[in-house]
Amino acid sequence: MINPHICPNCHFPKMKDWDELSDEQKMLVERLPMSAEYPPKIRQKHRFCTRCWFEETVPQSTLA
């Protein structure tokens, strides 16, 4: 079973939504390479690892 809160890249236990990022973290995220591929409104729907700065672009699906 995949834990949606663990980063698939570095296994850090806390992926964050855009709203959970501090202003400093948001500024850093805005400078990551993915900013060239996705507009800001779409990126605000992604989740981020504040350890390795992995950006999850596809929402995790959950089974009922």
Side-chain angles (χ1 to χ4, degrees):
M1 183 174 158
I2 297 173
N3 186 334
H5 301 290
I6 294 178
C7 174
N9 189 48
C10 73
H11 306 291
F12 188 63
K14 180 72 171 115
M15 294 282 290
K16 291 186 175 185
D17 293 324
W18 179 261
D19 295 338
E20 297 174 299
L21 297 173
S22 70
D23 289 340
E24 257 182 43
Q25 291 169 333
K26 288 177 184 177
M27 186 176 68
L28 203 158
V29 163
E30 289 169 350
R31 285 151 180 77
L32 291 174
M34 290 283 223
S35 62
E37 294 182 38
Y38 295 97
K41 290 290 182 190
I42 299 296
R43 292 189 81 215
Q44 290 177 8
K45 296 177 184 177
H46 295 175
R47 292 174 0 121
F48 305 89
C49 174
T50 56
R51 182 178 179 195
C52 71
W53 294 106
F54 172 79
E55 184 170 342
E56 183 179 75
T57 59
V58 179
Q60 291 286 332
S61 62
T62 56
L63 298 175

